[in-house]
């Protein structure tokens, strides 16, 4: 795990930015603006346009003390796809033990 952890990120600002509908072309600029405003947790819902590209762009642009990941994670495969894009966080609309277990096995926060 090379990220600061959920508790550390939450202690910085206490809020998570949920970027529903963001497009990859907007991701870097929006991510930088949020980081500059103090956010250290950024979530791109998987039902956004090309969410993995947006996660990839923000991960490349932002410091490592900012946790970036995905929301609307519905199954364990989502964890691997998000991690492959550089994400360190998975949020789900339900409590699924398999998703949580997979996220933790991959070193992700959930």
């Amino acid at each position: 795990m090379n990220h600061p952890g959920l508790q550390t990120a939450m202690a910085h600002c206490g809020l998570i930015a949920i970027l529903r509908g963001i497009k990859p072309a907007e991701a870097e600029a929006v991510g930088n603006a949020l980081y500059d405003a103090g956010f250290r947790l950024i979530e791109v819902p998987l039902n956004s346009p090309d969410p993995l590209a947006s996660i990839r762009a923000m991960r490349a642009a932002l410091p490592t003390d900012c946790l970036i990941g995905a929301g609307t994670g519905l199954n364990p495969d989502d964890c691997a796809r998000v991690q492959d894009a550089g994400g360190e966080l998975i949020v789900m609309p339900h409590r699924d033990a398999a998703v949580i277990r997979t996220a933790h096995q991959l070193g992700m926060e959930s």
Side-chain angles (χ1 to χ4, degrees):
M1 197 180 315
N2 60 0
H3 53 78
L6 186 59
Q7 296 302 319
T8 302
M10 284 296 292
H12 189 82
C13 174
L15 299 172
I16 183 168
I18 302 171
L19 306 182
R20 187 168 311 284
I22 193 165
K23 296 176 181 145
E26 307 163 328
E28 184 177 343
V30 170
N32 281 317
L34 288 166
Y35 187 87
D36 290 345
F39 282 85
R40 296 299 181 267
L41 284 162
I42 300 175
E43 171 197 324
V44 177
L46 289 175
N47 56 4
S48 296
D50 203 357
L52 300 176
S54 293
I55 291 168
R56 197 172 292 110
M58 282 189 279
R59 179 67 286 147
L62 297 173
T64 58
D65 68 331
C66 185
L67 287 179
I68 299 167
T72 320
L74 300 177
N75 59 63
D77 292 338
D78 289 338
C79 296
R81 293 184 320 121
V82 170
Q83 186 190 47
D84 287 345
E88 304 123 340
L89 172 72
I90 192 83
V91 178
M92 66 200 91
H94 62 310
R95 185 175 180 156
D96 186 317
V99 174
I100 295 167
R101 186 172 33 259
T102 301
H104 289 182
Q105 287 171 346
L106 293 173
M108 300 172 75
E109 298 286 352
S110 64

